[in-house]
Amino acid sequence: MQIETDFFGTVQIEESEIITFASEVPGFPEARRFILLPFGEGIPFWSFQSIDQAECAFVVTNPFWIDPEYVFELPESAKEQLGIQDTAQVAVYTTVTLRERFEESTTNLRAPFVMETKRRQAKQVILDETYSNRHVIGSLTEVGGR
């Protein structure tokens, strides 16, 4: 199927790539189905593009590349909602706010998107204040770390 995207124009995707949110993405009640589109080979960011609302797209990254100590306990209610039985079935992404000076760009470690990878169900989880919603990315410029 073809979809309109915020960053890449019209793109062709497979239905099997679609990630469905089990609950509303705060602020975007109409956007329930998303897809991850890479910005390019070796670039540590993706566009988390809504299929339902072309203008709804987030730049996301793997938070473990930014903070290798990043860890949180997923609430039981979220595990049940997403059907998670094994941590190997989980992918985590955090939204990125790009700044004019890249080194000042931030990611929201407090509200990650958690995805169950087999059923491709996702949810945004709001964590306690252990992590910042404006964690500086610093020198992250490639897949896997700094």
Short mmCIF file of all heavy atoms in Angstrom, two decimals, residues 8 11 21 25 27 29-30 39 49 52 54 65 71 77 81-82 92 95-97 100 108 116 120 122 126 146:
data_model
loop_
_atom_site.label_atom_id
_atom_site.label_comp_id
_atom_site.label_asym_id
_atom_site.label_seq_id
_atom_site.Cartn_x
_atom_site.Cartn_y
_atom_site.Cartn_z
N PHE A 8 9.16 11.92 3.71
CA PHE A 8 9.62 11.24 2.49
C PHE A 8 8.64 11.31 1.32
O PHE A 8 8.85 10.66 0.30
CB PHE A 8 9.91 9.77 2.80
CG PHE A 8 10.89 9.57 3.92
CD1 PHE A 8 10.45 9.13 5.16
CD2 PHE A 8 12.23 9.84 3.75
CE1 PHE A 8 11.35 8.94 6.21
CE2 PHE A 8 13.14 9.66 4.79
CZ PHE A 8 12.69 9.22 6.02
N VAL A 11 5.33 6.87 -0.06
CA VAL A 11 6.18 5.67 0.01
C VAL A 11 5.29 4.43 -0.03
O VAL A 11 4.11 4.46 0.34
CB VAL A 11 7.05 5.62 1.29
CG1 VAL A 11 8.02 6.78 1.33
CG2 VAL A 11 6.22 5.58 2.53
N PHE A 21 -1.13 1.05 17.65
CA PHE A 21 -1.10 1.47 19.05
C PHE A 21 -2.30 0.88 19.78
O PHE A 21 -3.43 0.97 19.31
CB PHE A 21 -1.07 3.00 19.16
CG PHE A 21 0.33 3.50 19.22
CD1 PHE A 21 1.15 3.48 18.11
CD2 PHE A 21 0.85 3.96 20.42
CE1 PHE A 21 2.46 3.89 18.18
CE2 PHE A 21 2.16 4.40 20.50
CZ PHE A 21 2.97 4.36 19.38
N VAL A 25 -2.04 7.75 21.31
CA VAL A 25 -0.81 8.50 21.46
C VAL A 25 -1.24 9.88 21.97
O VAL A 25 -2.05 10.54 21.31
CB VAL A 25 -0.06 8.64 20.12
CG1 VAL A 25 1.18 9.51 20.28
CG2 VAL A 25 0.30 7.28 19.56
N GLY A 27 -2.18 13.39 22.51
CA GLY A 27 -2.20 14.52 21.60
C GLY A 27 -2.55 14.18 20.16
O GLY A 27 -2.74 15.07 19.34
N PRO A 29 -5.17 11.63 18.86
CA PRO A 29 -6.19 10.57 19.00
C PRO A 29 -6.53 9.84 17.70
O PRO A 29 -7.00 8.72 17.74
CB PRO A 29 -7.39 11.33 19.57
CG PRO A 29 -7.19 12.74 19.17
CD PRO A 29 -5.70 12.94 19.17
N GLU A 30 -6.32 10.49 16.56
CA GLU A 30 -6.65 9.86 15.28
C GLU A 30 -5.54 8.95 14.77
O GLU A 30 -5.75 8.16 13.86
CB GLU A 30 -6.94 10.94 14.23
CG GLU A 30 -8.02 11.93 14.63
CD GLU A 30 -9.38 11.28 14.80
OE1 GLU A 30 -9.71 10.39 14.00
OE2 GLU A 30 -10.09 11.66 15.75
N PHE A 39 15.95 6.89 8.20
CA PHE A 39 16.41 8.07 7.47
C PHE A 39 17.56 7.72 6.53
O PHE A 39 17.89 8.50 5.65
CB PHE A 39 16.82 9.18 8.43
CG PHE A 39 15.63 9.95 8.93
CD1 PHE A 39 15.11 9.70 10.18
CD2 PHE A 39 15.02 10.91 8.14
CE1 PHE A 39 14.00 10.40 10.65
CE2 PHE A 39 13.91 11.61 8.59
CZ PHE A 39 13.39 11.35 9.85
N GLN A 49 6.16 7.27 11.55
CA GLN A 49 5.17 7.92 10.72
C GLN A 49 3.78 7.33 10.92
O GLN A 49 3.60 6.11 10.81
CB GLN A 49 5.59 7.77 9.24
CG GLN A 49 4.57 8.26 8.25
CD GLN A 49 4.40 9.76 8.30
OE1 GLN A 49 5.37 10.51 8.18
NE2 GLN A 49 3.17 10.23 8.49
N ASP A 52 -2.39 6.99 9.59
CA ASP A 52 -3.71 7.60 9.66
C ASP A 52 -3.69 9.11 9.49
O ASP A 52 -4.68 9.70 9.09
CB ASP A 52 -4.37 7.25 11.00
CG ASP A 52 -4.43 5.74 11.22
OD1 ASP A 52 -4.88 5.03 10.30
OD2 ASP A 52 -4.01 5.28 12.29
N ALA A 54 -0.96 11.85 7.92
CA ALA A 54 0.34 12.06 7.27
C ALA A 54 1.19 13.12 7.97
O ALA A 54 2.42 13.03 7.99
CB ALA A 54 0.14 12.45 5.80
N TRP A 65 21.27 3.50 22.84
CA TRP A 65 22.47 4.04 22.20
C TRP A 65 22.88 5.35 22.86
O TRP A 65 24.02 5.75 22.80
CB TRP A 65 22.25 4.29 20.72
CG TRP A 65 22.02 3.05 19.92
CD1 TRP A 65 22.41 1.78 20.24
CD2 TRP A 65 21.37 2.95 18.67
NE1 TRP A 65 22.03 0.91 19.25
CE2 TRP A 65 21.39 1.60 18.28
CE3 TRP A 65 20.75 3.88 17.83
CZ2 TRP A 65 20.84 1.15 17.08
CZ3 TRP A 65 20.20 3.44 16.65
CH2 TRP A 65 20.24 2.09 16.28
N VAL A 71 17.16 1.89 31.87
CA VAL A 71 16.40 0.71 32.26
C VAL A 71 15.13 1.17 32.98
O VAL A 71 15.13 2.19 33.66
CB VAL A 71 17.25 -0.22 33.16
CG1 VAL A 71 17.60 0.45 34.47
CG2 VAL A 71 16.55 -1.55 33.39
N SER A 77 0.22 -3.74 33.60
CA SER A 77 -0.92 -3.39 32.75
C SER A 77 -0.48 -3.18 31.30
O SER A 77 -1.17 -3.58 30.36
CB SER A 77 -1.63 -2.14 33.28
OG SER A 77 -0.73 -1.04 33.30
N GLN A 81 -1.56 -5.38 28.12
CA GLN A 81 -2.18 -4.68 26.99
C GLN A 81 -1.47 -5.00 25.67
O GLN A 81 -2.10 -5.15 24.64
CB GLN A 81 -2.17 -3.18 27.26
CG GLN A 81 -3.02 -2.38 26.31
CD GLN A 81 -3.08 -0.92 26.71
OE1 GLN A 81 -2.19 -0.38 27.37
NE2 GLN A 81 -4.16 -0.26 26.31
N LEU A 82 -0.14 -5.13 25.73
CA LEU A 82 0.64 -5.38 24.52
C LEU A 82 0.86 -6.88 24.26
O LEU A 82 1.37 -7.26 23.22
CB LEU A 82 2.00 -4.67 24.61
CG LEU A 82 1.93 -3.14 24.70
CD1 LEU A 82 3.33 -2.56 24.90
CD2 LEU A 82 1.27 -2.56 23.45
N VAL A 92 12.12 -0.63 22.02
CA VAL A 92 11.85 0.65 22.68
C VAL A 92 12.44 1.77 21.82
O VAL A 92 13.58 1.67 21.35
CB VAL A 92 12.49 0.69 24.10
CG1 VAL A 92 12.23 2.03 24.78
CG2 VAL A 92 11.96 -0.46 24.95
N THR A 95 11.30 9.62 21.41
CA THR A 95 11.18 10.73 20.46
C THR A 95 12.38 11.67 20.60
O THR A 95 12.94 11.83 21.68
CB THR A 95 9.89 11.54 20.70
OG1 THR A 95 9.87 12.00 22.04
CG2 THR A 95 8.66 10.69 20.41
N VAL A 96 12.73 12.27 19.49
CA VAL A 96 13.89 13.15 19.43
C VAL A 96 13.42 14.54 19.03
O VAL A 96 12.59 14.69 18.13
CB VAL A 96 14.91 12.64 18.39
CG1 VAL A 96 16.05 13.64 18.19
CG2 VAL A 96 15.45 11.27 18.80
N THR A 97 13.94 15.54 19.71
CA THR A 97 13.72 16.93 19.30
C THR A 97 15.05 17.44 18.77
O THR A 97 16.03 17.55 19.52
CB THR A 97 13.26 17.79 20.49
OG1 THR A 97 12.04 17.24 21.00
CG2 THR A 97 13.03 19.23 20.07
N GLU A 100 18.97 23.25 16.23
CA GLU A 100 19.84 23.79 15.18
C GLU A 100 21.28 23.32 15.37
O GLU A 100 21.93 22.92 14.42
CB GLU A 100 19.76 25.32 15.18
CG GLU A 100 20.47 25.92 13.99
CD GLU A 100 20.17 27.39 13.86
OE1 GLU A 100 19.04 27.80 14.13
OE2 GLU A 100 21.10 28.11 13.47
N ASN A 108 13.32 12.12 24.66
CA ASN A 108 12.42 11.99 25.81
C ASN A 108 12.52 10.59 26.39
O ASN A 108 11.82 9.68 25.97
CB ASN A 108 10.99 12.31 25.39
CG ASN A 108 10.03 12.31 26.54
OD1 ASN A 108 10.35 11.90 27.66
ND2 ASN A 108 8.82 12.77 26.28
N GLU A 116 5.65 -4.40 21.15
CA GLU A 116 5.72 -5.86 21.15
C GLU A 116 5.97 -6.23 19.69
O GLU A 116 5.18 -5.88 18.82
CB GLU A 116 4.41 -6.45 21.68
CG GLU A 116 4.48 -7.94 21.99
CD GLU A 116 4.41 -8.79 20.74
OE1 GLU A 116 3.73 -8.44 19.78
OE2 GLU A 116 5.08 -9.83 20.73
N ARG A 120 3.27 -6.59 16.79
CA ARG A 120 3.47 -5.20 16.35
C ARG A 120 2.43 -4.27 17.01
O ARG A 120 1.82 -3.43 16.35
CB ARG A 120 3.49 -5.08 14.84
CG ARG A 120 4.62 -5.93 14.22
CD ARG A 120 4.81 -5.75 12.78
NE ARG A 120 5.41 -4.48 12.41
CZ ARG A 120 6.70 -4.15 12.51
NH1 ARG A 120 7.55 -5.01 13.00
NH2 ARG A 120 7.12 -2.98 12.10
N ALA A 122 1.92 -1.40 20.03
CA ALA A 122 2.77 -0.43 20.72
C ALA A 122 1.94 0.42 21.67
O ALA A 122 0.71 0.46 21.60
CB ALA A 122 3.48 0.46 19.72
N ILE A 126 4.44 6.34 30.15
CA ILE A 126 4.95 7.49 30.90
C ILE A 126 5.60 6.95 32.17
O ILE A 126 4.92 6.35 33.01
CB ILE A 126 3.83 8.48 31.25
CG1 ILE A 126 2.99 8.82 30.01
CG2 ILE A 126 4.41 9.73 31.91
CD1 ILE A 126 3.72 9.48 28.88
N ARG A 146 27.92 6.22 19.97
CA ARG A 146 28.63 7.48 19.68
C ARG A 146 29.86 7.27 18.84
O ARG A 146 30.53 6.36 18.88
CB ARG A 146 29.00 8.15 20.98
CG ARG A 146 27.77 8.42 21.76
CD ARG A 146 28.06 8.84 23.18
NE ARG A 146 26.80 8.87 23.89
CZ ARG A 146 25.96 9.90 23.90
NH1 ARG A 146 26.26 10.99 23.25
NH2 ARG A 146 24.85 9.84 24.55
#
